[in-house]
Amino acid sequence: MTVTEPHRARGSRISPARPTMDDVAAVAGVSRGTVSRFLNGGHNVSRSAREAVERAIRKTGYVVNQHARSLVTQRAGSVAFILSEPQDRLFEDPNFNNLLRGCTQVLADHDITLLLTVAATDADRVRIGRWVTAGHVDGALLISNHLGSPLLGDLKERGLPVVVCGRPLGHERDVSYAAADDRDGARQMVEYLRSRGHRRIGIVTGPLDTSGGVDRLDGYRDVLGAADPALVVSGDYTQASGEAATAKLLDQAPDLDAIFVCSDLMAAGAVAALHRAGRRVPQDVAVGGFDDSKVATTTTPSLTTIRQPWMRLSAEMVRLLLARVDGEDPAAVLLPTELVVRDSA
Amino acid sequence: MTVTEPHRARGSRISPARPTMDDVAAVAGVSRGTVSRFLNGGHNVSRSAREAVERAIRKTGYVVNQHARSLVTQRAGSVAFILSEPQDRLFEDPNFNNLLRGCTQVLADHDITLLLTVAATDADRVRIGRWVTAGHVDGALLISNHLGSPLLGDLKERGLPVVVCGRPLGHERDVSYAAADDRDGARQMVEYLRSRGHRRIGIVTGPLDTSGGVDRLDGYRDVLGAADPALVVSGDYTQASGEAATAKLLDQAPDLDAIFVCSDLMAAGAVAALHRAGRRVPQDVAVGGFDDSKVATTTTPSLTTIRQPWMRLSAEMVRLLLARVDGEDPAAVLLPTELVVRDSA
DNA sequence: CTGAAAGCGCTTACAG
DNA sequence: CTGAAAGCGCTTACAG
């Protein structure tokens, strides 16, 4: 039961030769196959062998070499969470936090690690595309896909399982996605605003190269028809853009009595702009948000908004991704949204 | 020049068999070794061979299998950025954003991918410890290390190159770290407050199980001696804690005329608490922050603070980590800080 | 400059 | 239940 320890120059002087499965097998007095079977579920391993292996692992401090394992299983055991946005957005927008938390949690249940990558620049996107397709991950969760961004096409072309958060404009048929029912959520909000007696209802949309942007605008139009163009302004989901868009709206349509702002963060900016213009919320102008994120409760007044089911969205995204990894065809999941009434409308 | 395409069940029906280096070699009419040499710098590859390989790679869509490569090179080509904090902190605290941006950028220059992992719970820490030591990464940047947290010890024990951001309490001799000179920064701020005529100077410290917590308090005491204990309160770097700590300070020492708040985010909370208590900043109570993060300029009044050299810190952390990966001994880098005067003091 | 060969550390039929 | 062996896709001396 001698453990041979040949001197292996490992490219690093600092760590002593890392124990391999052969070392464990030698210490345990069994074959490498038995150690491997123990590690992979313990089927077909006798009680005595199991105990010997357990002891040997403890003694040697063995940790599996994931590269060797992945080389044969063709599985990495991790997936990428790709945020294709300027890095600041990650930190400013609480929605990403919600999604990240949900996905991490659901993946952990499958013992899969989530790797967060921020693709802020085009150079990033290239490097990440290469990295992701080099086998490092089994698939990718693509957050915040913009029409015309080449990343999705790249990943798809290279055969990497992908699921997009939100409807992937132009790829609805061949890419899996999970989305909240943005259009219906928008309808609910606008109908609610009308039911409260508002008649001049403006909208601050999201970016119109994303499904959240176009679908919520469509929902608004479902209720109000092709409204006065002066009532429609676009933002980019940041608080600053909500503030600027609202100022513009007040300028174009000073008589408006309500605004549907397509994200809570932008709605916080809208409230600030209204205050600055001397309009009371909700007495002079009612404000409806979208997301039901943390900022909806910290804003004064608290925001009436549309709840997105973040946890379910996360769970569905993960489920769809793992299905793709297992070879299933793409699928889409649409989740209902819900009106949450607070103080702003 | 026939390329054999055996049916390989790859655990995934969706992607066609991924081309290997052998496929490229066959298409190019050279040996696998030549393809590999081309990929790794192109030394000892003739012009004609190089061109044939380039063509073959384009034709086959070849991408290196990182697991196979790492198995032989014993290098992963990526490092982990481990945030050992509740996930919300990542999103609330702009300092992490600064560090993340800096490290990503510097690593990209070395063609190394940064993998962000959030170790929010103990279960996370275990899973990440295992993942990180399974060879997925060449080393780890440990952000925000708390005294007594087992993660650092675990990683060190398993021989993973690590560099800590800030002084790793209890591990100063055997772990690399890069830190701003917290103690001197605190001294500069407190001396500045005194030079402005303030005499009852309170402090809201960071967590006292971190170097930023204890070192800044030490700097404060360097200038003021063992001040009135009623003037010393601790926070946890969140804005909410800064607000609460300040309220407590006002309660314990209503006559104070200045507060050194050990992070800008907490300082923003302090300003809010002072406003609520009817104290004007800086006329009634001057407020000094720490970090010079984004919030220092968005707070009203803007914050007089101590600038941390985030970009240099990031660069030094990466340099130290790569040195460790190359087998060098641990080293520490201390970077100077600088007073930035704005409106709050 | 080039190819043949050994080996990185695993998993998994296969035969017993 | 167990071991011997093949093979995953690369890199890198080595010999030419």
Side-chain angles (χ1 to χ4, degrees), chain B residues 61-99:
Chain B
Y62 173 76
V63 178
V64 70
N65 179 318
Q66 187 61 40
H67 297 300
R69 173 180 281 175
S70 290
L71 186 55
V72 9
T73 61
Q74 304 287 336
R75 278 301 210 314
S78 52
V79 307
F81 183 97
I82 304 179
L83 186 67
S84 191
E85 290 283 345
Q87 184 177 307
D88 289 340
R89 289 280 326 273
L90 169 64
F91 292 89
E92 183 183 329
D93 198 325
N95 294 341
F96 297 131
N97 195 344
N98 288 326
L99 272 178

Short mmCIF file of all heavy atoms in Angstrom, two decimals, chain B residues 61-99:
data_model
loop_
_atom_site.label_atom_id
_atom_site.label_comp_id
_atom_site.label_asym_id
_atom_site.label_seq_id
_atom_site.Cartn_x
_atom_site.Cartn_y
_atom_site.Cartn_z
N GLY B 61 -14.91 25.08 -38.44
CA GLY B 61 -15.49 25.79 -37.30
C GLY B 61 -14.91 25.31 -35.98
O GLY B 61 -15.56 25.32 -34.95
N TYR B 62 -13.65 24.90 -36.05
CA TYR B 62 -13.02 24.34 -34.86
C TYR B 62 -12.86 25.36 -33.72
O TYR B 62 -12.49 26.50 -33.94
CB TYR B 62 -11.65 23.80 -35.23
CG TYR B 62 -10.84 23.34 -34.05
CD1 TYR B 62 -11.14 22.12 -33.43
CD2 TYR B 62 -9.81 24.12 -33.55
CE1 TYR B 62 -10.41 21.71 -32.33
CE2 TYR B 62 -9.08 23.70 -32.45
CZ TYR B 62 -9.38 22.49 -31.85
OH TYR B 62 -8.67 22.09 -30.76
N VAL B 63 -13.16 24.90 -32.52
CA VAL B 63 -12.87 25.67 -31.30
C VAL B 63 -12.19 24.71 -30.34
O VAL B 63 -12.64 23.58 -30.16
CB VAL B 63 -14.15 26.21 -30.64
CG1 VAL B 63 -13.82 26.95 -29.36
CG2 VAL B 63 -14.90 27.10 -31.59
N VAL B 64 -11.12 25.15 -29.74
CA VAL B 64 -10.36 24.26 -28.85
C VAL B 64 -11.24 23.76 -27.71
O VAL B 64 -12.12 24.47 -27.23
CB VAL B 64 -9.13 25.00 -28.28
CG1 VAL B 64 -9.54 26.08 -27.30
CG2 VAL B 64 -8.18 24.02 -27.61
N ASN B 65 -11.04 22.54 -27.31
CA ASN B 65 -11.70 21.99 -26.13
C ASN B 65 -10.85 22.33 -24.92
O ASN B 65 -9.76 21.79 -24.72
CB ASN B 65 -11.86 20.48 -26.27
CG ASN B 65 -12.53 19.88 -25.05
OD1 ASN B 65 -12.24 20.26 -23.93
ND2 ASN B 65 -13.44 18.95 -25.29
N GLN B 66 -11.37 23.23 -24.12
CA GLN B 66 -10.59 23.75 -23.01
C GLN B 66 -10.29 22.68 -21.96
O GLN B 66 -9.27 22.74 -21.27
CB GLN B 66 -11.32 24.93 -22.37
CG GLN B 66 -10.52 25.66 -21.32
CD GLN B 66 -9.24 26.26 -21.86
OE1 GLN B 66 -9.21 26.80 -22.96
NE2 GLN B 66 -8.16 26.16 -21.10
N HIS B 67 -11.18 21.73 -21.82
CA HIS B 67 -10.94 20.70 -20.81
C HIS B 67 -9.72 19.86 -21.19
O HIS B 67 -8.87 19.58 -20.36
CB HIS B 67 -12.17 19.80 -20.67
CG HIS B 67 -13.37 20.53 -20.19
ND1 HIS B 67 -13.39 21.19 -18.98
CD2 HIS B 67 -14.58 20.74 -20.75
CE1 HIS B 67 -14.57 21.76 -18.82
NE2 HIS B 67 -15.31 21.51 -19.88
N ALA B 68 -9.67 19.48 -22.46
CA ALA B 68 -8.53 18.69 -22.90
C ALA B 68 -7.24 19.49 -22.74
O ALA B 68 -6.23 18.98 -22.27
CB ALA B 68 -8.72 18.27 -24.36
N ARG B 69 -7.30 20.73 -23.13
CA ARG B 69 -6.11 21.57 -23.01
C ARG B 69 -5.70 21.72 -21.55
O ARG B 69 -4.52 21.55 -21.21
CB ARG B 69 -6.39 22.94 -23.62
CG ARG B 69 -5.27 23.91 -23.40
CD ARG B 69 -5.56 25.26 -24.02
NE ARG B 69 -5.32 25.25 -25.46
CZ ARG B 69 -5.58 26.28 -26.26
NH1 ARG B 69 -6.14 27.37 -25.76
NH2 ARG B 69 -5.31 26.21 -27.54
N SER B 70 -6.67 22.03 -20.72
CA SER B 70 -6.34 22.25 -19.31
C SER B 70 -5.82 20.98 -18.66
O SER B 70 -5.00 21.03 -17.75
CB SER B 70 -7.58 22.73 -18.55
OG SER B 70 -7.91 24.03 -18.94
N LEU B 71 -6.31 19.85 -19.12
CA LEU B 71 -5.88 18.59 -18.52
C LEU B 71 -4.37 18.43 -18.68
O LEU B 71 -3.69 17.96 -17.79
CB LEU B 71 -6.62 17.43 -19.18
CG LEU B 71 -6.39 16.05 -18.59
CD1 LEU B 71 -6.70 16.04 -17.11
CD2 LEU B 71 -7.24 15.02 -19.31
N VAL B 72 -3.85 18.85 -19.80
CA VAL B 72 -2.41 18.70 -19.98
C VAL B 72 -1.63 19.92 -19.50
O VAL B 72 -0.58 19.77 -18.90
CB VAL B 72 -2.02 18.27 -21.42
CG1 VAL B 72 -3.17 18.32 -22.37
CG2 VAL B 72 -0.84 19.03 -21.94
N THR B 73 -2.16 21.10 -19.72
CA THR B 73 -1.39 22.27 -19.29
C THR B 73 -1.51 22.54 -17.80
O THR B 73 -0.73 23.31 -17.24
CB THR B 73 -1.86 23.55 -20.02
OG1 THR B 73 -3.23 23.76 -19.71
CG2 THR B 73 -1.69 23.41 -21.51
N GLN B 74 -2.52 21.96 -17.17
CA GLN B 74 -2.78 22.24 -15.76
C GLN B 74 -3.07 23.71 -15.53
O GLN B 74 -2.78 24.26 -14.48
CB GLN B 74 -1.59 21.80 -14.88
CG GLN B 74 -1.21 20.35 -15.04
CD GLN B 74 -2.21 19.41 -14.39
OE1 GLN B 74 -2.94 19.78 -13.48
NE2 GLN B 74 -2.29 18.18 -14.88
N ARG B 75 -3.64 24.33 -16.54
CA ARG B 75 -4.02 25.74 -16.42
C ARG B 75 -5.44 25.90 -16.93
O ARG B 75 -5.79 25.34 -17.96
CB ARG B 75 -3.12 26.61 -17.30
CG ARG B 75 -1.79 26.98 -16.67
CD ARG B 75 -1.98 27.72 -15.39
NE ARG B 75 -0.93 28.68 -15.05
CZ ARG B 75 0.36 28.52 -15.09
NH1 ARG B 75 0.88 27.43 -15.54
NH2 ARG B 75 1.18 29.47 -14.70
N ALA B 76 -6.24 26.67 -16.23
CA ALA B 76 -7.63 26.82 -16.61
C ALA B 76 -7.87 28.03 -17.51
O ALA B 76 -8.81 28.06 -18.28
CB ALA B 76 -8.51 26.94 -15.37
N GLY B 77 -7.02 29.05 -17.37
CA GLY B 77 -7.24 30.25 -18.17
C GLY B 77 -8.33 31.13 -17.61
O GLY B 77 -8.86 31.99 -18.31
N SER B 78 -8.68 30.92 -16.36
CA SER B 78 -9.69 31.79 -15.75
C SER B 78 -9.41 31.89 -14.26
O SER B 78 -8.76 31.03 -13.68
CB SER B 78 -11.10 31.26 -16.00
OG SER B 78 -11.19 29.92 -15.62
N VAL B 79 -9.89 32.94 -13.66
CA VAL B 79 -9.76 33.09 -12.22
C VAL B 79 -11.12 33.48 -11.64
O VAL B 79 -11.96 34.05 -12.33
CB VAL B 79 -8.71 34.16 -11.82
CG1 VAL B 79 -7.38 33.90 -12.49
CG2 VAL B 79 -9.20 35.55 -12.13
N ALA B 80 -11.30 33.14 -10.38
CA ALA B 80 -12.57 33.44 -9.73
C ALA B 80 -12.50 34.76 -8.98
O ALA B 80 -11.47 35.10 -8.39
CB ALA B 80 -12.93 32.31 -8.76
N PHE B 81 -13.58 35.49 -9.02
CA PHE B 81 -13.75 36.72 -8.26
C PHE B 81 -14.82 36.37 -7.23
O PHE B 81 -16.01 36.29 -7.57
CB PHE B 81 -14.20 37.81 -9.22
CG PHE B 81 -14.37 39.20 -8.64
CD1 PHE B 81 -13.36 40.14 -8.76
CD2 PHE B 81 -15.55 39.57 -8.03
CE1 PHE B 81 -13.53 41.44 -8.28
CE2 PHE B 81 -15.72 40.87 -7.54
CZ PHE B 81 -14.70 41.80 -7.66
N ILE B 82 -14.40 36.09 -6.03
CA ILE B 82 -15.34 35.57 -5.04
C ILE B 82 -15.80 36.66 -4.10
O ILE B 82 -15.00 37.22 -3.34
CB ILE B 82 -14.71 34.44 -4.22
CG1 ILE B 82 -14.20 33.34 -5.15
CG2 ILE B 82 -15.73 33.87 -3.23
CD1 ILE B 82 -13.53 32.20 -4.42
N LEU B 83 -17.07 36.95 -4.15
CA LEU B 83 -17.64 37.94 -3.25
C LEU B 83 -18.29 37.19 -2.10
O LEU B 83 -19.32 36.54 -2.28
CB LEU B 83 -18.66 38.79 -3.99
CG LEU B 83 -19.20 39.94 -3.17
CD1 LEU B 83 -18.09 40.94 -2.90
CD2 LEU B 83 -20.34 40.60 -3.90
N SER B 84 -17.65 37.27 -0.96
CA SER B 84 -18.15 36.51 0.17
C SER B 84 -19.07 37.39 1.01
O SER B 84 -18.75 37.78 2.13
CB SER B 84 -16.97 36.00 0.99
OG SER B 84 -17.38 35.05 1.94
N GLU B 85 -20.21 37.71 0.47
CA GLU B 85 -21.14 38.64 1.09
C GLU B 85 -22.55 38.25 0.66
O GLU B 85 -22.72 37.60 -0.35
CB GLU B 85 -20.88 40.06 0.57
CG GLU B 85 -19.61 40.71 1.03
CD GLU B 85 -19.70 41.21 2.45
OE1 GLU B 85 -20.82 41.31 2.99
OE2 GLU B 85 -18.64 41.51 3.03
N PRO B 86 -23.54 38.68 1.41
CA PRO B 86 -24.90 38.51 0.91
C PRO B 86 -25.01 39.15 -0.47
O PRO B 86 -24.39 40.19 -0.71
CB PRO B 86 -25.75 39.28 1.93
CG PRO B 86 -24.91 39.34 3.15
CD PRO B 86 -23.49 39.33 2.70
N GLN B 87 -25.76 38.53 -1.33
CA GLN B 87 -25.81 38.98 -2.71
C GLN B 87 -26.20 40.44 -2.85
O GLN B 87 -25.71 41.14 -3.72
CB GLN B 87 -26.76 38.10 -3.49
CG GLN B 87 -26.80 38.44 -4.97
CD GLN B 87 -27.69 37.49 -5.71
OE1 GLN B 87 -27.53 36.30 -5.63
NE2 GLN B 87 -28.63 38.03 -6.44
N ASP B 88 -27.08 40.92 -2.00
CA ASP B 88 -27.54 42.30 -2.12
C ASP B 88 -26.39 43.29 -2.06
O ASP B 88 -26.40 44.31 -2.73
CB ASP B 88 -28.54 42.63 -1.01
CG ASP B 88 -29.85 41.90 -1.25
OD1 ASP B 88 -30.10 41.50 -2.39
OD2 ASP B 88 -30.61 41.74 -0.28
N ARG B 89 -25.40 42.96 -1.23
CA ARG B 89 -24.27 43.86 -1.10
C ARG B 89 -23.62 44.13 -2.46
O ARG B 89 -23.21 45.24 -2.77
CB ARG B 89 -23.21 43.27 -0.15
CG ARG B 89 -23.59 43.24 1.31
CD ARG B 89 -23.40 44.58 2.01
NE ARG B 89 -22.28 45.37 1.54
CZ ARG B 89 -21.04 45.28 1.97
NH1 ARG B 89 -20.73 44.43 2.91
NH2 ARG B 89 -20.10 46.05 1.49
N LEU B 90 -23.51 43.06 -3.26
CA LEU B 90 -22.90 43.22 -4.57
C LEU B 90 -23.58 44.34 -5.34
O LEU B 90 -22.96 45.13 -6.02
CB LEU B 90 -23.01 41.91 -5.36
CG LEU B 90 -22.66 41.99 -6.85
CD1 LEU B 90 -21.21 42.35 -7.05
CD2 LEU B 90 -22.95 40.67 -7.54
N PHE B 91 -24.90 44.39 -5.20
CA PHE B 91 -25.65 45.34 -5.99
C PHE B 91 -25.72 46.70 -5.33
O PHE B 91 -25.83 47.71 -6.00
CB PHE B 91 -27.03 44.79 -6.26
CG PHE B 91 -26.99 43.61 -7.17
CD1 PHE B 91 -26.84 42.33 -6.66
CD2 PHE B 91 -27.01 43.79 -8.54
CE1 PHE B 91 -26.76 41.25 -7.51
CE2 PHE B 91 -26.93 42.71 -9.39
CZ PHE B 91 -26.80 41.43 -8.88
N GLU B 92 -25.66 46.72 -4.02
CA GLU B 92 -25.79 48.00 -3.36
C GLU B 92 -24.48 48.78 -3.34
O GLU B 92 -24.48 50.00 -3.46
CB GLU B 92 -26.28 47.81 -1.91
CG GLU B 92 -26.49 49.15 -1.23
CD GLU B 92 -26.91 49.04 0.23
OE1 GLU B 92 -27.58 48.06 0.60
OE2 GLU B 92 -26.55 49.95 1.01
N ASP B 93 -23.39 48.08 -3.17
CA ASP B 93 -22.13 48.77 -2.91
C ASP B 93 -21.34 49.03 -4.19
O ASP B 93 -20.86 48.11 -4.84
CB ASP B 93 -21.30 47.91 -1.95
CG ASP B 93 -20.19 48.73 -1.31
OD1 ASP B 93 -19.64 49.62 -1.98
OD2 ASP B 93 -19.90 48.48 -0.13
N PRO B 94 -21.19 50.29 -4.56
CA PRO B 94 -20.50 50.61 -5.82
C PRO B 94 -19.03 50.22 -5.83
O PRO B 94 -18.44 50.10 -6.88
CB PRO B 94 -20.68 52.13 -5.93
CG PRO B 94 -21.02 52.60 -4.57
CD PRO B 94 -21.67 51.48 -3.85
N ASN B 95 -18.45 50.01 -4.65
CA ASN B 95 -17.04 49.62 -4.63
C ASN B 95 -16.81 48.30 -5.34
O ASN B 95 -15.80 48.12 -6.02
CB ASN B 95 -16.55 49.49 -3.18
CG ASN B 95 -16.56 50.82 -2.47
OD1 ASN B 95 -16.59 51.86 -3.10
ND2 ASN B 95 -16.56 50.78 -1.16
N PHE B 96 -17.74 47.37 -5.15
CA PHE B 96 -17.58 46.08 -5.81
C PHE B 96 -17.60 46.26 -7.32
O PHE B 96 -16.86 45.60 -8.05
CB PHE B 96 -18.68 45.12 -5.36
CG PHE B 96 -18.61 44.80 -3.90
CD1 PHE B 96 -19.74 44.88 -3.10
CD2 PHE B 96 -17.41 44.43 -3.32
CE1 PHE B 96 -19.67 44.60 -1.75
CE2 PHE B 96 -17.34 44.14 -1.96
CZ PHE B 96 -18.46 44.23 -1.18
N ASN B 97 -18.47 47.13 -7.75
CA ASN B 97 -18.55 47.44 -9.16
C ASN B 97 -17.20 47.93 -9.68
O ASN B 97 -16.70 47.45 -10.69
CB ASN B 97 -19.62 48.52 -9.36
CG ASN B 97 -20.03 48.65 -10.81
OD1 ASN B 97 -19.35 48.19 -11.71
ND2 ASN B 97 -21.16 49.30 -11.04
N ASN B 98 -16.60 48.85 -8.95
CA ASN B 98 -15.30 49.39 -9.35
C ASN B 98 -14.24 48.29 -9.44
O ASN B 98 -13.48 48.20 -10.40
CB ASN B 98 -14.83 50.44 -8.34
CG ASN B 98 -15.64 51.72 -8.46
OD1 ASN B 98 -16.06 52.10 -9.54
ND2 ASN B 98 -15.87 52.38 -7.34
N LEU B 99 -14.20 47.48 -8.42
CA LEU B 99 -13.20 46.41 -8.39
C LEU B 99 -13.43 45.41 -9.52
O LEU B 99 -12.50 44.97 -10.19
CB LEU B 99 -13.28 45.65 -7.06
CG LEU B 99 -12.46 46.19 -5.92
CD1 LEU B 99 -12.71 45.35 -4.69
CD2 LEU B 99 -10.97 46.17 -6.27
#
